[in-house]
Amino acid sequence: MAALLVKMHETVKDYIDSSENQPLATEIGSELLQLSRAVIKKHTFDGERASKFHLAQPARMLLRSFAYWHKTILTKTKGKTLASRPWTVFFSWNLPLEVFDCFKVVAVTPESGGSIVKNTRAVQEIHITDMEKLKGLFLRVANKFAKGCINESDIFMKTEKDGSYSHILVTKDHPVLFKYSKNFEIIRVSLRYGHFNRVGVPQHSLASKN
């Protein structure tokens, strides 16, 4: 194993020395060596010592989270609303900081429509105000985890036995809120929804904002 590490160090050094962008090459090389050391320790250490070096995959964890978030949202959309939070879906989710960093990468883009509206040492808040962009974000990310786990035809929509249905409503006045606590590593998601009878007549009112 020592010989393998020496060889990798030599390869990385050669790559950095020959690169036209040495700061970037140094950053890539350092991360590569750090990961390679963790992989070797994972496979050579015993028991609990080895468990500390298992490599997490934040992006894959995020894909699963999106699929679960969609299920949670549909579960919480009901024909009868709560007086405390009328026509609002609200839930919290444990999310490691590394996974939240991945979330920011995919959410805060022109394609996804996300924008950072608050950023402090303890809290970061992201809003999305475009319904179609929110749909696209969930479809792209969740379906990478399990193809077809969210269908485009019924995303964010739940139909009741009597033919009435609920679906998420996203506008500039009623954005989706993703509020992340860096201290507790918890993301709080809040968004509005409406309920309609079987012929499409609204049974809700969004007069009050989140």
Side-chain angles (χ1 to χ4, degrees):
M1 291 299 175
L4 175 60
L5 276 176
V6 169
K7 190 68 175 178
M8 290 194 68
H9 275 270
E10 292 174 349
T11 302
V12 168
K13 185 178 183 303
D14 290 342
Y15 163 68
I16 294 173
D17 290 343
S18 62
S19 175
E20 294 181 358
N21 187 343
Q22 291 211 344
L24 177 60
T26 300
E27 187 175 346
I28 293 172
S30 297
E31 188 168 344
L32 180 61
L33 290 175
Q34 183 180 8
L35 291 173
S36 65
R37 286 192 290 268
V39 170
I40 290 173
K41 290 176 181 178
K42 171 190 170 184
H43 290 283
T44 56
F45 285 8
D46 295 326
E48 187 175 341
R49 292 178 67 206
S51 68
K52 295 188 296 183
F53 299 100
H54 280 252
L55 298 178
Q57 295 181 308
R60 186 163 180 80
M61 294 166 67
L62 179 65
L63 307 187
R64 293 197 299 269
S65 295
F66 265 85
Y68 296 142
W69 291 352
H70 185 255
K71 290 180 181 179
T72 300
I73 289 169
L74 294 186
T75 299
K76 290 179 175 290
T77 55
K78 299 178 180 180
K80 293 184 178 180
T81 188
L82 298 175
S84 58
R85 285 196 179 99
W87 308 110
T88 301
V89 171
F90 178 85
F91 63 93
S92 300
W93 193 267
N94 293 321
L95 201 71
L97 181 59
E98 295 82 0
V99 183
F100 177 70
D101 286 339
C102 288
F103 171 73
K104 283 193 299 183
V105 170
V106 298
V108 185
T109 65
E111 186 178 18
S112 299
S115 59
I116 298 174
V117 299
K118 184 177 182 179
N119 187 15
T120 68
R121 292 181 62 183
V123 173
Q124 196 159 67
E125 187 169 329
I126 295 172
H127 289 189
I128 296 178
T129 60
D130 187 297
M131 184 67 196
E132 293 306 312
K133 290 184 177 181
L134 180 70
K135 286 182 178 180
L137 172 63
F138 269 73
L139 287 169
R140 287 193 309 276
V141 177
N143 287 335
K144 287 180 182 177
F145 164 61
K147 189 175 182 180
C149 71
I150 300 179
N151 295 317
E152 187 172 0
S153 59
D154 57 6
I155 184 172
F156 295 135
M157 178 176 288
K158 182 172 74 173
T159 303
E160 306 293 346
K161 292 180 180 179
D162 62 359
S164 64
Y165 59 93
S166 301
H167 70 72
I168 300 306
L169 303 172
V170 178
T171 66
K172 290 183 178 180
D173 290 331
H174 303 291
V176 182
L177 314 180
F178 298 94
K179 188 173 183 179
Y180 186 72
S181 169
K182 300 175 186 177
N183 293 334
F184 297 102
E185 297 193 347
I186 292 175
I187 192 167
R188 293 177 172 85
V189 182
S190 177
L191 61 165
R192 307 303 295 274
Y193 74 98
H195 188 73
F196 303 80
N197 66 17
R198 60 184 179 180
V199 295
V201 177
Q203 307 296 298
H204 61 276
S205 171
L206 299 185
S208 60
K209 295 185 179 181
N210 296 53

